[in-house]
Coordinates of all heavy atoms in Angstrom, one line a residue:
M39 N 0.8 -1.2 0.0 CA 0.0 0.0 0.0 C 0.9 1.3 0.0 O 0.5 2.2 -0.6 CB -0.9 0.0 1.2 CG -2.1 -1.0 1.1 SD -3.1 -0.9 -0.3 CE -3.9 0.7 -0.1
Q40 N 2.0 1.2 0.7 CA 2.8 2.4 0.7 C 3.4 2.7 -0.6 O 3.5 3.9 -1.0 CB 4.0 2.2 1.7 CG 3.5 2.2 3.2 CD 4.6 1.9 4.1 OE1 5.7 1.5 3.8 NE2 4.4 2.1 5.4
T41 N 3.7 1.6 -1.4 CA 4.2 1.8 -2.7 C 3.2 2.5 -3.6 O 3.4 3.4 -4.4 CB 4.7 0.4 -3.3 OG1 5.7 -0.1 -2.5 CG2 5.1 0.6 -4.8
F42 N 1.9 2.0 -3.5 CA 0.8 2.5 -4.3 C 0.6 4.0 -3.9 O 0.5 4.9 -4.8 CB -0.5 1.8 -4.1 CG -0.5 0.4 -4.7 CD1 0.5 -0.1 -5.5 CD2 -1.6 -0.4 -4.6 CE1 0.5 -1.4 -6.0 CE2 -1.7 -1.6 -5.1 CZ -0.6 -2.1 -5.9
D43 N 0.6 4.3 -2.6 CA 0.4 5.7 -2.2 C 1.5 6.6 -2.7 O 1.3 7.7 -3.1 CB 0.4 5.7 -0.7 CG -0.8 5.2 0.0 OD1 -1.9 5.1 -0.8 OD2 -0.8 4.9 1.2
R44 N 2.8 6.1 -2.7 CA 3.9 6.9 -3.2 C 3.8 7.2 -4.7 O 3.9 8.3 -5.1 CB 5.2 6.1 -2.9 CG 6.3 6.9 -2.3 CD 7.6 6.2 -2.0 NE 7.7 4.8 -2.2 CZ 7.5 3.9 -1.2 NH1 7.2 4.3 0.0 NH2 7.6 2.6 -1.5
I45 N 3.5 6.1 -5.5 CA 3.3 6.3 -6.9 C 2.2 7.2 -7.3 O 2.3 8.2 -8.1 CB 3.1 4.9 -7.6 CG1 4.4 4.1 -7.5 CG2 2.7 5.1 -9.1 CD1 4.2 2.6 -7.8
L46 N 1.0 7.0 -6.7 CA -0.1 7.8 -6.9 C 0.1 9.3 -6.4 O -0.3 10.2 -7.1 CB -1.4 7.2 -6.4 CG -1.9 6.0 -7.1 CD1 -3.0 5.3 -6.3 CD2 -2.3 6.3 -8.5
G47 N 0.8 9.4 -5.3 CA 1.0 10.7 -4.8 C 1.9 11.5 -5.7 O 1.7 12.7 -6.0
E48 N 3.0 10.9 -6.3 CA 3.8 11.6 -7.2 C 3.1 11.9 -8.5 O 3.3 13.0 -9.1 CB 5.1 10.7 -7.5 CG 6.0 10.6 -6.3 CD 7.1 9.6 -6.5 OE1 7.3 9.2 -7.7 OE2 7.8 9.3 -5.6
W49 N 2.2 11.0 -8.9 CA 1.5 11.3 -10.2 C 0.5 12.4 -10.0 O 0.4 13.3 -10.9 CB 0.7 10.0 -10.6 CG -0.2 10.2 -11.7 CD1 0.1 10.2 -13.0 CD2 -1.6 10.5 -11.6 NE1 -1.0 10.5 -13.8 CE2 -2.1 10.6 -12.9 CE3 -2.5 10.6 -10.6 CZ2 -3.4 10.9 -13.2 CZ3 -3.8 10.8 -10.9 CH2 -4.3 11.0 -12.2
R50 N -0.1 12.5 -8.8 CA -1.1 13.6 -8.5 C -0.5 14.9 -8.3 O -1.2 15.9 -8.5 CB -1.9 13.2 -7.3 CG -3.0 12.2 -7.6 CD -4.0 12.1 -6.4 NE -3.3 11.8 -5.2 CZ -3.4 10.7 -4.5 NH1 -4.0 9.7 -5.1 NH2 -2.8 10.5 -3.4
V51 N 0.7 15.1 -8.0 CA 1.3 16.4 -7.7 C 0.9 17.4 -8.7 O 0.5 18.5 -8.3 CB 2.8 16.2 -7.5 CG1 3.5 17.6 -7.5 CG2 3.2 15.4 -6.3
C52 N 1.1 17.1 -9.9 CA 0.8 18.1 -11.0 C -0.4 17.8 -11.8 O -0.6 18.4 -12.9 CB 2.0 18.2 -11.9 SG 3.5 18.8 -11.1
R53 N -1.2 16.9 -11.4 CA -2.2 16.4 -12.3 C -3.7 16.6 -11.8 O -4.4 17.4 -12.2 CB -2.0 15.0 -12.7 CG -0.7 14.9 -13.6 CD -0.3 13.5 -13.9 NE 0.9 13.5 -14.8 CZ 2.1 13.7 -14.4 NH1 2.4 13.9 -13.1 NH2 3.1 13.6 -15.2
R54 N -4.1 15.7 -10.9 CA -5.5 15.7 -10.5 C -5.7 15.6 -9.0 O -4.8 15.0 -8.3 CB -6.2 14.5 -11.1 CG -6.1 14.4 -12.6 CD -7.2 15.0 -13.3 NE -7.3 14.6 -14.7 CZ -7.1 15.4 -15.7 NH1 -6.9 16.6 -15.5 NH2 -7.2 14.9 -16.9
P55 N -6.8 16.1 -8.5 CA -7.1 15.9 -7.1 C -7.3 14.4 -6.8 O -7.7 13.6 -7.7 CB -8.3 16.7 -6.8 CG -8.8 17.1 -8.1 CD -7.8 16.9 -9.2
P56 N -7.0 13.9 -5.6 CA -7.1 12.5 -5.3 C -8.5 11.9 -5.4 O -8.6 10.7 -5.6 CB -6.6 12.4 -3.8 CG -6.6 13.8 -3.3 CD -6.6 14.7 -4.4
N57 N -9.5 12.6 -5.3 CA -10.8 12.0 -5.4 C -11.4 12.1 -6.8 O -12.6 11.8 -7.0 CB -11.8 12.7 -4.4 CG -11.4 12.4 -3.0 OD1 -10.8 11.4 -2.7 ND2 -11.7 13.3 -2.1
S58 N -10.7 12.6 -7.8 CA -11.2 12.7 -9.2 C -11.4 11.4 -9.8 O -10.8 10.4 -9.4 CB -10.3 13.6 -10.0 OG -9.1 12.9 -10.3
A59 N -12.3 11.3 -10.8 CA -12.5 10.0 -11.5 C -11.2 9.6 -12.2 O -11.0 8.4 -12.2 CB -13.6 10.2 -12.5
H60 N -10.5 10.5 -12.7 CA -9.2 10.2 -13.4 C -8.2 9.6 -12.4 O -7.6 8.6 -12.7 CB -8.6 11.5 -14.0 CG -7.5 11.2 -15.0 ND1 -7.6 11.6 -16.2 CD2 -6.4 10.5 -14.8 CE1 -6.5 11.2 -16.9 NE2 -5.7 10.6 -16.0
A61 N -8.1 10.1 -11.2 CA -7.2 9.6 -10.2 C -7.7 8.2 -9.8 O -6.9 7.3 -9.6 CB -7.1 10.5 -9.0
Q62 N -9.0 8.0 -9.6 CA -9.5 6.7 -9.3 C -9.2 5.6 -10.4 O -8.9 4.5 -10.1 CB -11.0 6.8 -8.9 CG -11.2 7.5 -7.7 CD -12.7 7.7 -7.4 OE1 -13.6 7.3 -8.1 NE2 -13.0 8.5 -6.3
A63 N -9.3 6.1 -11.6 CA -9.0 5.2 -12.7 C -7.5 4.8 -12.7 O -7.2 3.6 -13.0 CB -9.4 5.8 -14.0
K64 N -6.7 5.7 -12.4 CA -5.2 5.4 -12.3 C -5.0 4.4 -11.2 O -4.2 3.5 -11.4 CB -4.4 6.7 -12.1 CG -4.3 7.6 -13.3 CD -3.4 7.0 -14.3 CE -3.2 7.9 -15.5 NZ -2.3 7.4 -16.5
A65 N -5.6 4.6 -10.1 CA -5.4 3.7 -9.0 C -5.9 2.3 -9.4 O -5.2 1.3 -9.1 CB -6.2 4.2 -7.8
K66 N -7.0 2.2 -10.1 CA -7.5 0.8 -10.5 C -6.5 0.2 -11.5 O -6.2 -1.0 -11.4 CB -8.8 0.9 -11.2 CG -9.4 -0.4 -11.6 CD -10.6 -0.3 -12.4 CE -11.2 -1.7 -12.8 NZ -10.2 -2.7 -13.2
T67 N -5.9 1.0 -12.4 CA -4.9 0.5 -13.4 C -3.7 0.0 -12.6 O -3.2 -1.0 -12.9 CB -4.5 1.7 -14.3 OG1 -5.6 2.0 -15.1 CG2 -3.4 1.2 -15.3
L68 N -3.3 0.7 -11.6 CA -2.1 0.3 -10.8 C -2.4 -1.0 -10.1 O -1.5 -1.9 -10.2 CB -1.8 1.4 -9.8 CG -0.6 1.3 -9.0 CD1 0.6 1.4 -9.9 CD2 -0.5 2.4 -7.9
V69 N -3.5 -1.2 -9.5 CA -3.9 -2.5 -8.9 C -4.0 -3.6 -9.9 O -3.5 -4.7 -9.7 CB -5.2 -2.3 -8.1 CG1 -5.7 -3.7 -7.6 CG2 -5.0 -1.4 -6.9
D70 N -4.6 -3.3 -11.1 CA -4.7 -4.3 -12.1 C -3.3 -4.8 -12.5 O -3.1 -6.0 -12.7 CB -5.4 -3.8 -13.4 CG -6.9 -3.5 -13.2 OD1 -7.4 -4.0 -12.2 OD2 -7.5 -2.9 -14.0
W71 N -2.3 -3.9 -12.7 CA -1.0 -4.3 -13.1 C -0.3 -5.1 -12.0 O 0.4 -6.0 -12.3 CB -0.2 -3.1 -13.6 CG -0.4 -2.7 -15.0 CD1 -1.2 -1.7 -15.4 CD2 0.1 -3.4 -16.1 NE1 -1.2 -1.7 -16.8 CE2 -0.5 -2.7 -17.3 CE3 0.9 -4.5 -16.3 CZ2 -0.2 -3.1 -18.6 CZ3 1.2 -4.9 -17.6 CH2 0.6 -4.2 -18.7
F72 N -0.5 -4.7 -10.8 CA 0.1 -5.4 -9.7 C -0.5 -6.9 -9.6 O 0.3 -7.8 -9.5 CB -0.2 -4.7 -8.3 CG 0.4 -5.4 -7.2 CD1 1.7 -5.1 -6.9 CD2 -0.3 -6.2 -6.4 CE1 2.3 -5.7 -5.8 CE2 0.3 -6.8 -5.3 CZ 1.6 -6.6 -5.0
E73 N -1.8 -7.0 -9.8 CA -2.4 -8.3 -9.9 C -1.9 -9.1 -11.1 O -1.8 -10.4 -11.0 CB -3.9 -8.2 -9.9 CG -4.4 -7.8 -8.5 CD -5.9 -7.6 -8.5 OE1 -6.6 -7.6 -9.6 OE2 -6.5 -7.5 -7.4
F74 N -1.5 -8.5 -12.1 CA -1.0 -9.1 -13.3 C 0.4 -9.6 -13.2 O 0.9 -10.4 -13.9 CB -1.1 -8.2 -14.5 CG -0.9 -8.8 -15.9 CD1 -1.8 -9.7 -16.4 CD2 0.2 -8.4 -16.6 CE1 -1.5 -10.3 -17.6 CE2 0.4 -9.0 -17.9 CZ -0.4 -9.9 -18.4
G75 N 1.1 -9.1 -12.1 CA 2.4 -9.6 -11.8 C 3.5 -8.5 -11.8 O 4.7 -8.8 -11.5
V76 N 3.2 -7.3 -12.1 CA 4.2 -6.2 -12.1 C 4.4 -5.8 -10.7 O 3.4 -5.4 -10.0 CB 3.7 -5.0 -13.0 CG1 4.7 -3.9 -12.9 CG2 3.5 -5.4 -14.4
R77 N 5.6 -6.0 -10.1 CA 5.8 -5.7 -8.7 C 6.8 -4.6 -8.4 O 6.8 -4.0 -7.4 CB 6.4 -7.0 -8.0 CG 5.4 -8.2 -8.0 CD 4.3 -7.9 -7.1 NE 3.5 -9.1 -6.9 CZ 2.4 -9.4 -7.5 NH1 1.9 -8.6 -8.5 NH2 1.7 -10.5 -7.3
G78 N 7.7 -4.3 -9.4 CA 8.7 -3.2 -9.1 C 8.0 -1.8 -9.1 O 7.2 -1.5 -9.9
E79 N 8.5 -1.0 -8.1 CA 7.9 0.3 -8.0 C 8.2 1.1 -9.2 O 7.3 1.9 -9.7 CB 8.5 1.0 -6.8 CG 7.8 2.3 -6.5 CD 8.2 2.9 -5.1 OE1 8.7 2.1 -4.2 OE2 8.0 4.1 -4.9
D80 N 9.4 1.0 -9.8 CA 9.7 1.8 -11.0 C 8.8 1.3 -12.2 O 8.3 2.2 -13.0 CB 11.2 1.6 -11.4 CG 12.1 2.3 -10.4 OD1 11.6 3.3 -9.7 OD2 13.3 2.0 -10.4
D81 N 8.6 0.0 -12.3 CA 7.7 -0.5 -13.4 C 6.3 0.0 -13.2 O 5.6 0.4 -14.2 CB 7.8 -2.0 -13.4 CG 9.2 -2.5 -13.8 OD1 9.9 -1.8 -14.5 OD2 9.5 -3.6 -13.4
L82 N 5.8 -0.1 -12.0 CA 4.4 0.4 -11.7 C 4.3 1.9 -12.0 O 3.3 2.3 -12.6 CB 4.0 0.1 -10.3 CG 3.8 -1.4 -10.0 CD1 3.7 -1.7 -8.5 CD2 2.5 -1.9 -10.7
A83 N 5.3 2.7 -11.6 CA 5.3 4.1 -11.9 C 5.3 4.4 -13.4 O 4.6 5.3 -13.8 CB 6.4 4.8 -11.2
R84 N 6.0 3.6 -14.1 CA 6.0 3.8 -15.6 C 4.7 3.5 -16.2 O 4.2 4.2 -17.1 CB 7.1 2.8 -16.2 CG 7.4 3.1 -17.7 CD 8.5 2.2 -18.2 NE 9.7 2.2 -17.4 CZ 10.1 1.2 -16.7 NH1 9.5 0.0 -16.7 NH2 11.2 1.3 -15.9
V85 N 4.0 2.5 -15.7 CA 2.6 2.1 -16.2 C 1.7 3.3 -16.0 O 1.0 3.7 -17.0 CB 2.1 0.9 -15.4 CG1 0.6 0.8 -15.6 CG2 2.8 -0.4 -15.9
I86 N 1.8 4.0 -14.9 CA 1.0 5.1 -14.6 C 1.4 6.3 -15.5 O 0.6 7.0 -16.1 CB 1.0 5.5 -13.1 CG1 0.4 4.4 -12.3 CG2 0.3 6.8 -12.8 CD1 -1.1 4.1 -12.6
R87 N 2.7 6.6 -15.5 CA 3.2 7.7 -16.3 C 2.9 7.6 -17.8 O 2.4 8.6 -18.4 CB 4.7 7.8 -16.1 CG 5.3 9.0 -16.8 CD 6.8 8.9 -16.9 NE 7.2 7.8 -17.7 CZ 8.1 6.9 -17.4 NH1 8.8 6.9 -16.3 NH2 8.4 5.9 -18.3
D88 N 3.0 6.4 -18.3 CA 2.8 6.2 -19.8 C 1.4 5.9 -20.1 O 1.1 5.6 -21.2 CB 3.8 5.1 -20.3 CG 5.2 5.5 -20.2 OD1 5.5 6.7 -20.0 OD2 6.1 4.6 -20.3
D89 N 0.5 5.8 -19.1 CA -0.9 5.5 -19.2 C -1.1 4.2 -20.0 O -1.9 4.1 -21.0 CB -1.6 6.6 -19.9 CG -3.1 6.6 -19.7 OD1 -3.5 6.0 -18.7 OD2 -3.8 7.1 -20.6
I90 N -0.4 3.1 -19.6 CA -0.5 1.8 -20.2 C -1.7 1.1 -19.6 O -1.7 0.9 -18.4 CB 0.8 1.0 -20.1 CG1 1.9 1.8 -20.7 CG2 0.6 -0.4 -20.7 CD1 3.3 1.2 -20.4
Q91 N -2.7 0.7 -20.4 CA -3.8 -0.1 -19.9 C -3.6 -1.6 -20.1 O -3.0 -2.0 -21.1 CB -5.1 0.4 -20.6 CG -5.4 1.8 -20.4 CD -5.7 2.2 -19.0 OE1 -6.5 1.5 -18.3 NE2 -5.1 3.2 -18.5
L92 N -4.0 -2.4 -19.2 CA -3.8 -3.8 -19.3 C -4.5 -4.4 -20.6 O -3.9 -5.3 -21.2 CB -4.4 -4.5 -18.1 CG -3.9 -5.9 -17.8 CD1 -2.4 -6.0 -17.7 CD2 -4.5 -6.4 -16.5
A93 N -5.6 -3.8 -21.0 CA -6.3 -4.2 -22.2 C -5.4 -4.0 -23.4 O -5.6 -4.6 -24.5 CB -7.6 -3.5 -22.3
D94 N -4.4 -3.1 -23.3 CA -3.5 -2.8 -24.5 C -2.5 -3.8 -24.7 O -1.8 -3.8 -25.7 CB -2.8 -1.4 -24.3 CG -3.8 -0.2 -24.2 OD1 -4.9 -0.4 -24.7 OD2 -3.4 0.8 -23.7
V95 N -2.3 -4.7 -23.7 CA -1.2 -5.7 -23.8 C -1.7 -7.0 -24.3 O -2.7 -7.5 -23.8 CB -0.6 -5.9 -22.4 CG1 0.5 -6.9 -22.4 CG2 -0.1 -4.6 -21.9
P96 N -1.0 -7.5 -25.4 CA -1.4 -8.8 -25.9 C -1.2 -9.9 -24.8 O -0.2 -9.9 -24.1 CB -0.6 -9.1 -27.1 CG 0.5 -8.0 -27.1 CD 0.1 -7.0 -26.1
R97 N -2.1 -10.9 -24.7 CA -2.0 -12.0 -23.8 C -1.6 -13.3 -24.4 O -1.9 -13.5 -25.5 CB -3.2 -12.1 -22.9 CG -3.5 -10.8 -22.2 CD -4.7 -11.0 -21.3 NE -5.0 -9.7 -20.8 CZ -5.6 -9.5 -19.6 NH1 -6.1 -10.6 -19.0 NH2 -5.9 -8.4 -19.2

């Protein structure tokens, strides 16, 4: 949870308030990627920064 808080906190600094629909969507994307197996903080931060959706990745 601390990792998620850190990543989302850094993303929100210049972007959106924490309760916005956009911020909630980013949080869901972050959890989806974590459940998919992405564990590194840098990798998770990149997913958020580059706005990569799990649906965009071939399985």
